[in-house]
Amino acid sequence: MRNEIVLKISGMKCDGCVKSVKTALEGTKGVISAEVDLLSAIAIVRFNQEKPEIGSLIDSVKKAGFDASPV
Protein backbone atom coordinates (compact mmCIF):
# COMPACT_ATOMS: atom_id res chain seq x y z
CA MET A 1 0.00 0.00 0.00
CA ARG A 2 1.33 3.40 -0.93
CA ASN A 3 1.05 6.10 1.64
CA GLU A 4 -0.04 8.87 -0.68
CA ILE A 5 -3.19 10.58 -1.89
CA VAL A 6 -3.45 12.43 -5.20
CA LEU A 7 -5.63 15.52 -5.45
CA LYS A 8 -6.63 17.71 -8.39
CA ILE A 9 -6.27 21.36 -7.40
CA SER A 10 -8.11 24.15 -9.16
CA GLY A 11 -7.60 27.89 -8.99
CA MET A 12 -3.79 27.99 -8.88
CA LYS A 13 -2.23 30.59 -11.17
CA CYS A 14 1.31 31.15 -9.87
CA ASP A 15 4.13 29.82 -7.69
CA GLY A 16 2.66 31.69 -4.72
CA CYS A 17 -0.52 29.65 -5.13
CA VAL A 18 1.53 26.45 -5.18
CA LYS A 19 3.25 27.47 -1.95
CA SER A 20 -0.10 28.27 -0.28
CA VAL A 21 -1.56 24.88 -1.21
CA LYS A 22 1.61 23.04 -0.14
CA THR A 23 1.65 24.83 3.22
CA ALA A 24 -2.06 24.13 3.78
CA LEU A 25 -1.70 20.43 2.99
CA GLU A 26 1.45 19.99 5.08
CA GLY A 27 -0.38 21.60 8.02
CA THR A 28 -3.00 18.84 7.97
CA LYS A 29 -2.73 16.16 10.68
CA GLY A 30 -0.96 13.04 9.46
CA VAL A 31 0.63 14.64 6.39
CA ILE A 32 4.40 14.21 6.07
CA SER A 33 4.87 16.14 2.82
CA ALA A 34 3.06 17.47 -0.22
CA GLU A 35 4.27 18.01 -3.77
CA VAL A 36 2.18 20.49 -5.73
CA ASP A 37 2.60 21.01 -9.48
CA LEU A 38 1.21 24.16 -11.10
CA LEU A 39 1.09 22.89 -14.70
CA SER A 40 -0.68 19.60 -14.00
CA ALA A 41 -2.68 21.09 -11.09
CA ILE A 42 -1.94 17.93 -9.09
CA ALA A 43 -0.93 17.55 -5.46
CA ILE A 44 0.66 14.35 -4.19
CA VAL A 45 0.19 14.13 -0.44
CA ARG A 46 2.35 11.68 1.53
CA PHE A 47 1.25 10.62 4.98
CA ASN A 48 2.39 8.44 7.88
CA GLN A 49 0.49 5.41 9.12
CA GLU A 50 -2.42 7.63 10.17
CA LYS A 51 -4.11 8.34 6.83
CA PRO A 52 -5.67 11.82 6.81
CA GLU A 53 -9.32 12.10 5.84
CA ILE A 54 -9.82 13.26 2.25
CA GLY A 55 -12.32 15.79 3.59
CA SER A 56 -9.68 17.27 5.90
CA LEU A 57 -7.26 17.70 2.99
CA ILE A 58 -9.94 19.30 0.82
CA ASP A 59 -10.97 21.62 3.68
CA SER A 60 -7.34 22.70 4.17
CA VAL A 61 -7.02 23.55 0.48
CA LYS A 62 -10.35 25.44 0.53
CA LYS A 63 -9.22 27.48 3.54
CA ALA A 64 -6.18 28.48 1.47
CA GLY A 65 -8.55 29.76 -1.25
CA PHE A 66 -8.50 26.89 -3.76
CA ASP A 67 -10.58 23.83 -4.64
CA ALA A 68 -9.49 20.21 -4.49
CA SER A 69 -10.93 16.85 -5.45
CA PRO A 70 -9.60 13.29 -5.29
CA VAL A 71 -8.10 11.82 -8.46
Side-chain angles (χ1 to χ4, degrees), residues 4-10 12 18 21-22 25 34-45 67-71:
E4 62 184 37
I5 296 170
V6 180
L7 298 173
K8 181 76 173 171
I9 310 294
S10 59
M12 296 189 302
V18 169
V21 171
K22 179 177 173 62
L25 289 170
E35 286 180 35
V36 182
D37 183 70
L38 180 62
L39 294 178
S40 66
I42 293 290
I44 300 171
V45 182
D67 288 318
S69 59
V71 172

Side-chain angles (χ1 to χ4, degrees), residues 13-37:
K13 298 187 183 328
C14 66
D15 288 337
C17 297
V18 169
K19 184 175 180 180
S20 294
V21 171
K22 179 177 173 62
T23 300
L25 289 170
E26 289 180 345
T28 305
K29 184 179 178 184
V31 174
I32 295 171
S33 67
E35 286 180 35
V36 182
D37 183 70

